[in-house]
Structure formats: C-alpha cells, structure tokens
Amino acid sequence: MAFSDALHPYIATLREEIIALRQDLHQHPELSFQEFRTQQLIMDYLQSLGLKPRKITKTGVTVTLVGDRKGPTVALRADIDALPMPDESDVPYASINPGVCHACGHDAHTAILLGVANTFCQHRDFAGEIILIFQPSEEQLPGGAPSVLESGALEQAEAIFGLHVWQSLPFGVFATHEGALMASPDDFTITLHGKGGHASMPYDTIDPIIVAATIVQSLQTLISRTIRTEDAAVLSVTKIHAGTAMNVIPEVATLAGTLRTLDPVLRERLPKQMQTMVEHIASSYGARAEFTLTKGYPALINDPLMATIATNAATALFGEQRTWQTQPSMGGEDFAFYLEKMPGAFFFLGMGTEYAHHHPKFNADDAILEQGIQLMCEVALQFLAK
Ligand code: NI
C-alpha cells in the first residue's frame, strides 16, 4: 500500500498535459540563470491552478501547498536549466534555441514537479506543508542552490528531496544510496615556471615539460598510495599546455584537471598534498610552481533516514525488485548544498534511454513523467506521515 494510491487515477489524467509541458520546455531550453521564459511558464501554470507562486533568486520559483491539517513541512526540488550544447535529438520539439539543449533531463524534472503541484492542489488531504522549489542554474558554478537557500524559501522546511531521471538505469527503476551518492567536483590548475631556451641546449634551460611529466605521473600516487582503498577519489589531469615550436624549450607549462571525492575530509586533505608534491617536484628541478584549486559543489551526502523514507516510497510504488541501492557516482550535483544545511535525500529514476546525459542526442522519456509524479508525491506523503 502506498500513501498516494488514491492519487494515481488523478495523476493518470494529467499525462497529456504534463507531456506537453515537458516538450514545450525541451523546445525552449535556457541556460543557467537565464531561465526567464521557463520561470514564466512555471508561474503561469501554477497560477492557472489557483496557486500563489513566488519568484525567487533571479529565475527560480517557489510555491507552498498547504494540507487540510497541521503537520511538518517538506520541500521538493526540481532544477530547470539547460546546457550550452547543440540539440541533435530527432524529435519535432527539438530545441529552437541554437546551442542550448535540455540534455540532462531538467525539462522532465520541471514537468514532474508541475504535475506534483497540480496533484496536491486538488488533493489537500495531508498533514503539513509541501514547498516546491523550481531551482535555476544546476549546471553552472556556483550553482543555483546557494541562492535558493539565501532567499529564505526553505526556512520552514524540515527536509528536502530531489529526483534526477537517470538514463543508464532500466526504465522505472529507483536508485539511491544511504550516504554519499555523488562526488565533490573540484578543479585545479598548475602553472610551472621554468627557463626557456634552445632545444639543442637543454642544459642551459629549466624544462617545464619534464617537470610537468613528472608531476602528472606522481599525482596519481596520491590516489593509489595515500587514501584507504575503500574510500573513493579520482584525480585526472585533463589539460597540458606548453610550447610553441619544435626547437624551443618553453618557459611555462600549465596543467589542469579535476579532483573528485565522496569524503569531505579527503576533499580538504588531497589539495594540500597535491600542492606540497607539485611545489617540491618543481623546486627539485629548479622550477617554480603555482597551484590553484577552484571548488565545485560539495559531495552529495544523503541523510540515511531520509534516504530510507525515499526508498520506502519507491518500494511501495514500484516493488522491491525495482528499488535499488546504487553505488555512488563521481559526478557532481548542487543539491549537495541543501544537504549541508538540512536532512534530505537525492535519488535517481531510471529511463533506460539510449544516449548518456550531456550527449547531444539525449532526450528524456515522456513515459517516465507519470511515475516521477507518483514518486515525488509518495516521498512527500511518507515524510509528512513520519
Ligand atoms: Ni542534471
């Protein structure tokens, strides 16, 4: 038995309407903090239901649904932004905004949460309040979540839940993890200052390319030799730039890459170790190194109790065989900022579609929207009933 069983016939009647909304959003994708049309579409739809939505941050929206009796307050969040990339999906509602594409499924998240708004608007038979957050700018640093928190829209919320449609999971499979689910994606840059000169006389130079090569190799030992095998971290050097000619040893080399971990302690420790290693290797060659770290989102760490509530909701709806505990992903998500401030959980809903997230042919599956609405409704009701 699911708390939301009585809602399902109503949710089924919303199918065409929610699909039309999703396809409209897909056709008109907007970049982070530029989601003005999207914001207006959300405002218009919520107002058409008789609700009183409110614009928050630059391009976000919030609305609160009040139950017919007093109780706790829970928040549900959808991200609404698209990506700066072409849309090569072969559908009649492909993006008409050149170079902008809903290639992560945030159009589906937005449509699902609009469906939740409609459902709870017509069915107030619950105790407490449900805050819906339509959050801008998940895709671009510093993320939209910090500005939502600053807006005060979540001040009353006792917990928050978020859903991501997931291409690589089979259709209709729910997955989450009681603990760290996604990584902190931090970026680093290393600038190596050597001494340039003629390639035929390396003894008169300090070759920053040799220094760079040593550093690339050595950095990997931080992952393989200094962290416990059961802890996860990824260090990838993804850019190397140096030199302009075959017969010139350059003055400067730069390296850049990404450092990702699920553990906040490692997130603080590893950059310090990197800096020490980089500076010492450089100085051992007579070169000088500058190390800079640009922090991305924190690791996304689910509250175990909240992850259990979401898991119980999925089990009630989809059954145990379609409710999975998943291994953490080393991708990043700005939902992590909410979980630093309040209990909550983030979870995936499988689509089993062909193309990966952020692929130009990615397109969310409209068939998943109904289950997405059911899942978000059930999670909210299960939380409020606790
Ligand atoms: Ni996404």
Side-chain angles (χ1 to χ4, degrees):
M1 264 300 278
F3 285 82
S4 59
D5 279 347
L7 305 179
H8 294 176
Y10 182 76
I11 292 171
T13 68
L14 301 178
R15 191 179 299 143
E16 298 309 317
E17 183 175 322
I18 298 302
I19 288 174
L21 283 166
R22 208 282 296 181
Q23 295 186 355
D24 185 332
L25 291 162
H26 191 89
Q27 194 167 22
H28 303 91
E30 294 173 302
L31 294 175
S32 307
F33 280 129
Q34 296 173 38
E35 309 94 332
F36 294 104
R37 183 187 182 278
T38 306
Q39 182 187 44
Q40 199 54 52
L41 179 149
I42 295 165
M43 290 291 291
D44 290 347
Y45 184 78
L46 295 174
Q47 282 166 345
S48 78
L49 299 173
L51 295 169
K52 293 196 167 51
R54 182 160 73 77
K55 293 183 180 180
I56 48 166
T57 77
K58 194 177 170 191
T59 46
V61 178
T62 187
V63 70
T64 301
L65 295 139
V66 182
D68 62 8
R69 54 199 188 275
K70 289 221 175 304
T73 301
V74 65
L76 304 176
R77 170 272 209 174
D79 43 8
I80 66 172
D81 58 329
L83 285 155
M85 56 185 289
D87 184 349
E88 294 173 7
S89 62
D90 189 19
V91 290
Y93 55 88
S95 168
I96 59 164
N97 295 342
V100 187
C101 176
H102 263 301
C104 198
H106 300 185
D107 48 350
H109 305 163
T110 308
I112 286 168
L113 210 59
L114 290 172
V116 171
N118 187 325
T119 304
F120 282 132
C121 188
Q122 302 301 326
H123 299 84
R124 303 279 187 163
D125 176 24
F126 60 88
E129 301 191 3
I130 301 167
I131 300 171
L132 305 184
I133 299 286
F134 296 88
Q135 180 216 297
S137 187
E138 191 284 320
E139 297 288 3
Q140 194 177 307
L141 285 172
S147 69
V148 170
L149 285 162
E150 280 162 29
S151 77
L154 288 166
E155 247 156 42
Q156 306 302 321
E158 291 158 63
I160 187 164
F161 293 92
L163 168 153
H164 208 301
V165 291
W166 214 244
Q167 169 266 338
S168 57
L169 283 171
F171 183 89
V173 163
F174 165 100
T176 193
H177 190 256
E178 293 174 7
L181 181 67
M182 298 181 82
S184 52
D186 296 333
D187 294 336
F188 61 85
T189 304
I190 298 163
T191 308
L192 300 166
H193 300 271
K195 182 179 165 215
H198 201 293
S200 66
M201 292 175 277
Y203 43 85
D204 281 337
T205 73
I206 296 171
D207 185 350
I209 290 179
I210 293 289
V211 183
T214 308
I215 286 172
V216 171
Q217 297 271 6
S218 301
L219 284 176
Q220 291 308 320
T221 64
L222 292 177
I223 303 301
S224 66
R225 303 289 87 176
T226 77
I227 71 170
R228 300 187 318 172
T229 42
E230 59 269 36
D231 290 337
V234 169
L235 192 168
S236 295
V237 175
T238 53
K239 290 191 205 174
I240 302 186
H241 288 291
T244 53
M246 304 291 258
N247 55 359
V248 176
I249 288 173
E251 185 93 4
V252 174
T254 57
L255 307 174
T258 183
L259 175 67
R260 292 162 182 249
T261 170
L262 300 167
D263 180 349
V265 174
L266 281 181
R267 190 191 189 198
E268 293 307 310
R269 195 189 86 191
L270 279 168
K272 291 185 187 130
Q273 290 176 287
M274 289 176 72
Q275 179 161 11
T276 303
M277 181 177 267
V278 163
E279 287 175 355
H280 281 78
I281 290 173
S283 73
S284 74
Y285 286 90
R288 183 172 61 82
E290 290 163 45
F291 177 85
T292 53
L293 185 85
T294 306
K295 281 199 166 179
Y297 305 148
L300 189 154
I301 301 171
N302 281 335
D303 180 286
L305 183 62
M306 297 302 132
T308 303
I309 289 175
T311 302
N312 289 344
T315 309
L317 289 178
F318 310 141
E320 264 171 31
Q321 294 209 322
R322 304 188 80 76
T323 303
W324 296 5
Q325 285 289 309
T326 184
Q327 291 301 311
S329 143
M330 295 310 273
E333 230 302 332
D334 84 339
F335 193 82
F337 286 113
Y338 301 119
L339 297 182
E340 284 190 330
K341 301 282 185 223
M342 65 180 80
F346 194 68
F347 43 84
F348 304 132
L349 182 57
M351 297 192 297
T353 43
E354 187 175 359
Y355 296 101
H357 295 269
H358 297 206
H359 187 283
K361 288 189 189 294
F362 175 92
N363 187 16
D365 186 347
D366 284 323
I368 203 65
L369 301 175
E370 198 174 323
Q371 289 181 42
I373 297 169
Q374 289 180 0
L375 179 60
M376 288 302 246
C377 288
E378 181 67 20
V379 168
L381 293 175
Q382 293 237 357
F383 176 84
L384 295 176
K386 290 277 164 195

